[in-house]
Every structure is written in structure tokens, then in C-alpha cells.
Amino acid sequence: SHDKPFDPSLFVTIRRRLGQEAFNEMTNSFLDAVAEAEKKNKPKKKTSQKDEPLNSTSTTSSEPLSIDGSTDDKKRSGMLLVDASVAPADIKYPTDLDLLNSSREHSETIIDELWQQVKTTGKVKPRTYRRVARKAYLNMAKKRNKKSNELRKAIRKQLNYLKRNLNTINELLDKFETIKWPLSAGLYRQFLIIQEVYRQQQQMFDERCHQISDRIVSVSQPHVRPIVRGKAGRNVEFGAKISASVVSGYAFLDRLSWDAYHEAADLPVQVEQYRDRFGFYPEVVIADGIYGTRKNRDWLEEKSIRFSGKPLGRPPKKTAENAAQLKAERKQRRKENGIRSRIEGKFGEGKRGYDLDLVKAKWPETSESWVAAIFFVMNIARWLRDYFFASIWKYAKVWRFQLFPAVKELYTVFL
């Protein structure tokens, strides 16, 4: 058969049906199975901290990654690595002029659709001045250096064209006396979006500012928000902000939000999620300095959990009695700061290898499934790497201790 077995939109339906929670449950179930398998095939030789297996959440203890619902509030074991990042959406870099031009084009499409339903003999189609508006937009968009007064004038023109089109749409809608709604679900959604875009852009134009709450940066994806990161070369990113944690090389997606938030507020929740997964609190939380707020430090101290960051306040004066202790603490902080790079590497793995830096899904539900699926696949890939190298080491031992002496003896005989 040369027919397609299914429509490509089926993948969108599956992503929307599963959602973030389904992928998180699959991740937990997969890691439970891996923990059980490693518990049965536990190696006799003690592994190093760098190659720490899944069933060992601490360098001092060997506990399964998941247990049967029992909890021990007095026990502290394992390392919890936490950090936040952004999963950028696949949208064009937003500017006020481009957003207004895109909204104007969508409004013209709605007018064309409505006019096809209400046109009568002798009536003239309402004017939209689309050619004039398109030419005015291109005259400014093609300029390499845009002066502020010229840009403001071009934005004002696009606002007037869009306002005229919105009034035309409302007049055409008033001509429908039937109960049936004349616009499809997609066009009606676009109509609501461009009205909000016009309201926001008009307000910013009148107030001469560039900030507004719940600002729309994409007509096709109105749920996307600007996330200020403050990093070199990419000060602002447009997508979903995610908080993740890493335990023994395996990543967990703890929170996904389309609005900007302070990631330090997620630390208590992530620690409690660690307890729910493993049955006990971590021994140490390794995180960036932004997580080391006084509130978080007090909460961790109350739970008897150590924070890896530098202590607040003035550093203690170095004396002969505390010199060795201060040196050991500095050494430990440097070591844990190196361990913290593992979660940075996990973000890099997702963005370079699994399209976490360019989420191509268009709906918020499918985008959340996209991100959660990436974390699920990264955990599978991590387990496959461990299984692959463990198999190589196993066969290398067979070659070294069993096959190599026999081959050496045959080689000596033939010589």
C-alpha cells in the first residue's frame, strides 16, 4: 500500500494526550526497574564517586534509588543537584513592529473569511489597505539602522491599520443574525489573540515603555513568555522555564512554567520530592549560589541537610586552630562545585543532542510533553551507556584472564 499508515498529526495527539505527568510517571517506573535490576546484580567491587551506580545515592551508603513507600525522616543520604534553565520555543525573535504586522495579516485573513459569507450583490468589500500597510512595514523592516522616531512612526501606522481591521471584523460579525458562529475555532482563537496584542501594544505605545504583564511575543504561540536569563549573548530567552534535579546521573523534571519565576523558591519542593522518591532526605544539596538564600539555608538547617555553597556573612578569621578545618571546607566546596557541573552537562546534553534548545511543538500541552520526553529519553540513554561500558568491561575481563593466555600459548607454539 502506498497510502500513509496514519496522519502526521497523530504524534501531536499523542503528545497532547500523554502530557508532562505521564512522562514523569514513565521515568519513575523506568528508574524503579533499573534500581531493581542493579540491586540483583550488585557488583562486589566498590565503585568510585564519579561512576556511582543507580542504586547508590551517596558516597557513604548504598541505598536503592526507589523503595517501597517507606520513609525514614532521621536518615540523610545522597547528593541532590538542582538547577534551572529555559527550553526555548521555535519562534521568531519578537519585535513590536513584527508582532503588529503579523497581527494585521491575521486580521486580513479573518476579514476575507467573513466577507465570503456575507457579501451580497452591489456591496463593496471593506478596505484593509493591505498593500499600503505591507509596503510601510517593509520600508522600516529592511532598514539596517532604525531611528527611534522613525520606528515609533511605523508602529503607530501598524496600530492604526490593525485598529481599523478589528473594527471591520466587529461590523461584519454584527451582520450575522444566525446562532451559528461564522468563524472556525482556529480563526476565532486568532481573533482573540490579535485583540490582546493590539491592547498591549497600544498601551505600551501610549506609555512609551516596553514592559507589560503577560506580554505576548508570538501570535502563533501566545503562551510563550520572555524569560530574562542575564547570560552573555542571550540575555532574554523565549520559552518555558524548567527546574530540574539530578541524582546519580539521572535527571528529573521537577517544574515547568511558562511564566518567569525565581528558581530558589523551588528548593524546598525539590528536596521533598527527593524524600518522596527515595524515602529519606539528601545528605547535601549541591546548587548554584542563587539557591543559597537565607530562607533556604534556614530550612535546610532545620532538616539537617548541608548546603554546598559558601556560608553567608564575614568569613572566619584564620588561626592555627582552625586552619586545617578551613582548608578542608574550601577543598570540599571546590570538589562539590565541580560535581555541580554534572547538571549543567545534563542541560547541555538535552539542548545539543535532543532539541531541548528548540521546542518545535506549538501548543503548551504538546511543548510540555516534548520537554518531559527529552528527560525520559536522556535517562534511558544514560542507562544504555552504563550497560554498554559494563558489558565491555565484562568481556574485557574474560579476554584478559581466559582467552589471552590460550592465544599467547598458541602463538608461542607456532613460533
Side-chain angles (χ1 to χ4, degrees):
S1 176
H2 297 282
D3 297 334
K4 294 185 295 185
F6 54 84
D7 192 83
S9 63
L10 178 62
F11 290 108
V12 180
T13 304
I14 293 174
R15 283 197 295 266
R16 183 178 297 179
R17 181 185 302 172
L18 291 176
Q20 177 184 350
E21 296 298 328
F23 279 105
N24 289 341
E25 291 177 3
M26 288 191 290
T27 298
N28 294 332
S29 300
F30 169 74
L31 295 181
D32 289 343
V34 173
E36 286 295 326
E38 290 192 356
K39 187 177 181 181
K40 294 179 181 179
N41 303 323
K42 184 178 180 180
K44 296 181 180 179
K45 185 177 179 181
K46 186 177 180 180
T47 57
S48 61
Q49 182 179 357
K50 183 178 181 180
D51 300 326
E52 188 179 3
L54 183 62
N55 62 352
S56 176
T57 59
S58 174
T59 58
T60 58
S61 63
S62 179
E63 295 292 338
L65 189 61
S66 61
I67 59 178
D68 300 332
S70 60
T71 58
D72 187 359
D73 292 337
K74 296 182 179 180
K75 184 177 181 180
R76 302 292 181 268
S77 180
M79 295 183 299
L80 175 63
L81 283 67
V82 297
D83 203 355
S85 185
V86 175
D90 186 17
I91 64 172
K92 180 182 178 182
Y93 188 88
T95 62
D96 295 338
L97 186 62
D98 290 338
L99 281 173
L100 289 171
N101 177 71
S102 179
S103 301
R104 178 187 57 80
E105 292 176 347
H106 283 293
S107 65
E108 292 166 357
T109 303
I110 297 175
I111 291 175
D112 294 341
E113 176 64 26
L114 292 175
W115 177 248
Q116 290 295 327
Q117 302 182 39
V118 302
K119 65 179 180 180
T120 56
T121 306
K123 297 292 183 178
V124 180
K125 182 180 179 181
R127 293 186 178 184
T128 58
Y129 298 96
R130 62 185 68 190
R131 294 182 180 178
V132 179
R134 176 68 177 175
K135 184 177 180 180
Y137 162 72
L138 292 178
N139 288 338
M140 176 55 59
K142 290 182 178 180
K143 285 188 177 181
R144 184 180 298 272
N145 298 319
K146 301 178 179 63
K147 296 181 180 180
S148 58
N149 57 341
E150 295 177 347
L151 182 60
R152 181 174 173 82
K153 183 178 179 180
I155 291 176
R156 178 176 56 80
K157 287 184 178 180
Q158 296 299 321
L159 281 170
N160 292 336
Y161 289 128
L162 180 58
K163 181 181 179 180
R164 180 188 180 93
N165 290 347
L166 292 176
N167 293 333
T168 302
I169 293 174
N170 290 325
E171 292 176 359
L172 292 175
L173 289 175
D174 292 339
K175 296 181 180 181
F176 288 88
E177 299 178 355
T178 60
I179 301 177
K180 183 180 179 181
W181 183 250
L183 293 177
S184 63
L187 290 180
Y188 180 62
R189 177 174 177 268
Q190 291 180 358
F191 180 48
L192 297 179
I193 293 171
I194 61 178
Q195 288 184 91
E196 180 63 18
V197 170
Y198 171 75
R199 184 194 68 81
Q200 293 182 358
Q201 294 294 329
Q202 186 66 54
Q203 181 177 344
M204 289 189 293
F205 182 84
D206 295 338
E207 298 177 358
R208 293 180 177 268
C209 66
H210 299 282
Q211 292 181 350
I212 195 171
S213 60
D214 296 330
R215 182 177 182 178
I216 295 178
V217 295
S218 174
V219 177
S220 61
Q221 301 184 52
H223 55 276
V224 176
R225 295 288 179 268
I227 308 295
V228 179
R229 298 291 291 164
K231 294 186 176 181
R234 190 174 291 184
N235 186 35
V236 180
E237 293 180 304
F238 305 92
K241 189 169 184 178
I242 55 177
S243 290
S245 59
V246 172
V247 180
S248 299
Y250 292 86
F252 298 92
L253 179 61
D254 298 324
R255 180 182 179 184
L256 187 150
S257 175
W258 294 102
D259 296 322
Y261 63 91
H262 198 285
E263 55 264 32
D266 289 340
L267 183 61
V269 179
Q270 290 174 301
V271 173
E272 292 295 341
Q273 289 177 349
Y274 181 98
R275 176 178 175 272
D276 294 338
R277 293 188 185 110
F278 312 135
F280 45 82
Y281 287 110
E283 180 183 353
V284 57
V285 173
I286 300 178
D288 194 7
I290 196 173
Y291 287 87
T293 61
R294 189 174 298 277
K295 182 179 179 181
N296 285 343
R297 291 173 185 265
D298 294 340
W299 187 86
L300 292 174
E301 184 178 358
E302 181 182 351
K303 299 293 182 180
S304 301
I305 302 173
R306 184 170 58 84
F307 183 71
S308 64
K310 189 177 180 181
L312 297 178
R314 181 178 298 178
K317 186 177 181 180
K318 184 178 180 180
T319 61
E321 291 77 9
N322 62 1
Q325 180 182 358
L326 295 178
K327 183 178 179 180
E329 291 177 355
R330 288 195 300 269
K331 183 178 179 180
Q332 185 180 38
R333 282 197 296 269
R334 286 195 300 267
K335 181 179 180 180
E336 292 175 347
N337 189 42
I339 295 175
R340 191 183 66 84
S341 63
R342 298 180 189 177
I343 191 169
E344 298 286 354
K346 189 62 67 174
F347 286 139
E349 177 187 354
K351 292 186 177 182
R352 290 181 176 270
Y354 300 98
D355 285 343
L356 186 61
D357 62 336
L358 193 66
V359 178
K360 299 177 183 178
K362 301 301 181 182
W363 293 86
E365 300 85 1
T366 54
S367 299
E368 293 170 5
S369 297
W370 182 294
V371 176
I374 289 175
F375 278 81
F376 177 59
V377 173
M378 283 196 300
N379 289 330
I380 295 178
R382 163 62 193 249
W383 176 79
L384 289 175
R385 288 195 298 268
D386 292 346
Y387 180 79
F388 175 73
F389 287 116
S391 301
I392 290 180
W393 177 247
K394 178 181 177 180
Y395 288 110
K397 290 173 64 177
V398 172
W399 167 262
R400 171 68 178 84
F401 297 107
Q402 298 181 16
L403 299 180
F404 182 73
V407 174
K408 183 178 181 181
E409 183 178 355
L410 290 175
Y411 180 73
T412 306
V413 171
F414 280 108
L415 284 180

